[in-house]
Amino acid sequence: MTSQLTYMLAVQASNASTATVIQYLSPVLIILWLAFRNREWPRRIDVISIIFALVGTFLLVTGGRLDALTITPNALMWGSSAALAASIYTLAPRSLLARYDTITVCGMAMFLGGLCISPNLFLTPVPHFTGLEWLDLIYIVVFGTMMAYTFFLGSVKYISPALTGMLSAFEPLVATFLTVTLLGTKLTSITLLGSFLIIFGILIESIPFKRIKIHH
């Protein structure tokens, strides 16, 4: 619930491409957490990946200028929150998934998340959707939420959280393409470069290098 809500708020405060790219800083957070938990120095490729992601974030947020922001503070806050939430839901369910099937874990999580946010339904006027808007909502629920999260959590059972996050980097590529081609969102060359650096920083995580243990 937190992941989906913060992501939607980030989209509302900016656009689908920017929100998705910022959200996919989550593999960087996963790398840092796993290095801390396992008491291992990050691999050299991890450090390079983090540098690419941070430089890309700087360009995406500032447009290369130190005196201005190209996105609002709200967009940055919600996007960062979405990245943190995505990191947690990638790492947290591994023990559950070892004992229960993916659909059970995902269904219970969505049910409990829905209960937490359901009071808002009684405090907000019922929206008057058009037929097309109902189709949009149904698509978001079935494909963008139910199936997307179920498939994502299913992958965590078979591959590492870092690799899961890395493979998910294809989502911001698709989001950026569709935002520009279908929605007509204008992205500057610096914004596109920042997005590319973040995505590239995540993709190079697939390069195999050995880790160095921290000795006491």
Side-chain angles (χ1 to χ4, degrees), residues 19-70:
T20 306
V21 170
I22 295 177
Q23 182 194 35
Y24 277 90
L25 288 171
S26 58
V28 172
L29 301 179
I30 292 172
I31 291 167
L32 294 174
W33 168 251
L34 291 177
F36 173 77
R37 189 193 66 180
N38 298 331
R39 296 183 178 179
E40 297 173 339
W41 291 111
R43 300 172 302 170
R44 183 177 301 173
I45 200 67
D46 291 338
V47 176
I48 295 173
S49 173
I50 291 170
I51 291 173
F52 269 109
L54 292 179
V55 172
T57 303
F58 170 78
L59 294 178
L60 184 66
V61 171
T62 66
R65 297 176 55 187
L66 294 175
D67 59 343
L69 295 177
T70 57

